[in-house]
Amino acid sequence: ITLLANDPAAIAADRQAGSAVITMASGTTLDAGTGALALTLSTGGSHGDMTLDSLKANSVTLNSSGGITFNNQVTTGSLTATAGISGGSAVTVQQVNSGFLEVTGQASFTNQSTNGTIHLADAGTIDEFKGGLAVVADGTSATVKISNDGSSAGTVRGTSDVGGSFTIEDDSGSISQNGKLTVSGKASFSTRSGKTITLDTATTALSGGVELDTSGTGGKATLKNSGGTTPEALDGRGALSAASTRRSVA
C-alpha cells in the first residue's frame, strides 16, 4: 500500500484550499499483511501533520513534511519514520491516546525540523522495539525521549545523532549499542531489575551531562566517551565503569 499527499507534481490549480494532511479516522486500520506500507505527506504546498491510527505491515515507511502522531497500535517488522522533511520550524513525532509501537526488527525515527521533538514515552504506554533502534534529531535544543519494553532483547541502539537532549529507558532488558552515538545535550540512560547499560565504543560522543541508572541489585553500567564526560546522576547498584577517550571525566 502506497499513499502520497501534497504531491509536488500535482497541478497547482487543481489543489484544494488549505494545508495538506494525512489523517486516519479513529478506529480505522491500514493492513498491508506481509507487504509494505508507505505513507508520504510531501512538500508540494502548505502542509499540516500526519495523524495515524492502526497500522499493520511487514514494513512501514512514513515521511511527513509536518509532524507524525501515532494514535493507535502499529505492528510491523520494520519501521522508518521521518518528520519535518521540508525542514523549517520544529515539529513533533509522538504517540498519544492508545499509541503503541511493536517493531520486531529495525526501528528508525528522524526529525529533520530544527529543534523538533521525538517523544515515544506516553504515560501508561511502553513500546516494544525488539530489534535495533536509531534516532536522529536536528538542531541544538531538540528533545528525544523513548521508553522500551522489548523483552529480554533489551534496547540495541544503532547509529544516532541528537542535537539536543536524549533520554532512553528500558523496562525489561539492557541497553547496548552497535553504532555511533552523538548527543550534544544531556544524555540519560536507565534500566530496571539489575540489567546493564553498555556504551563502550570509541565513537560515542556525549558532550553534555550524562545520567546512568541501573536500578536493582547486580546492575552494571559501562561508558566510553570521546566527548568528555560530566556525570549528572550515576546510580549503578552493581559495577560502574566510565572512561573518556579525549577529555577527562569531571
Side-chain angles (χ1 to χ4, degrees):
I1 300 174
T2 300
L3 300 176
L4 171 63
N6 210 23
D7 185 356
I11 300 172
D14 292 338
R15 292 184 181 275
Q16 292 182 328
S19 298
V21 298
I22 293 179
T23 302
M24 294 179 63
S26 177
T28 59
T29 300
L30 284 174
D31 189 345
T34 58
L37 175 61
L39 306 180
T40 300
L41 176 58
S42 194
T43 58
S46 63
H47 61 81
D49 298 322
M50 181 182 291
T51 305
L52 306 171
D53 210 68
S54 178
L55 305 177
K56 297 180 181 179
N58 182 57
S59 67
V60 173
T61 302
L62 309 171
N63 291 287
S64 175
S65 290
I68 300 174
T69 296
F70 299 97
N71 275 328
N72 209 329
Q73 184 166 352
V74 176
T75 304
T76 182
S78 65
L79 172 61
T80 301
T82 304
I85 60 175
S86 59
S89 58
V91 300
T92 299
V93 179
Q94 63 182 339
Q95 57 187 152
V96 298
N97 302 323
S98 300
F100 170 69
L101 310 180
E102 182 179 6
V103 186
T104 57
Q106 177 74 29
S108 175
F109 301 92
T110 300
N111 194 330
Q112 294 180 350
S113 68
T114 301
N115 299 327
T117 298
I118 299 174
H119 192 278
L120 304 175
D122 191 38
T125 302
I126 300 177
D127 299 312
E128 293 186 8
F129 302 118
K130 299 179 179 180
L133 173 65
V135 295
V136 175
D138 292 344
T140 57
S141 59
T143 302
V144 176
K145 184 174 183 179
I146 296 176
S147 293
N148 185 28
D149 188 1
S151 70
S152 59
T155 303
V156 181
R157 193 211 44 71
T159 299
S160 300
D161 189 344
V162 178
S165 65
F166 180 44
T167 300
I168 187 163
E169 305 166 345
D170 196 297
D171 271 28
S172 60
S174 298
I175 297 174
S176 60
Q177 68 181 132
N178 61 6
K180 182 178 180 179
L181 172 61
T182 303
V183 182
S184 66
K186 179 180 176 181
S188 177
F189 307 88
S190 64
T191 58
R192 304 288 181 267
S193 303
K195 299 297 183 178
T196 63
I197 299 171
T198 307
L199 306 170
D200 60 354
T201 73
T203 57
T204 298
L206 309 178
S207 53
V210 179
E211 290 187 356
L212 302 174
D213 182 0
T214 55
S215 301
T217 303
K220 179 181 179 181
T222 303
L223 171 65
K224 182 184 291 184
N225 184 22
S226 64
T229 303
T230 303
E232 292 205 358
L234 302 177
D235 187 359
R237 305 298 175 86
L240 172 64
S241 174
S244 178
T245 61
R246 288 189 181 177
R247 290 178 284 177
S248 62
V249 177

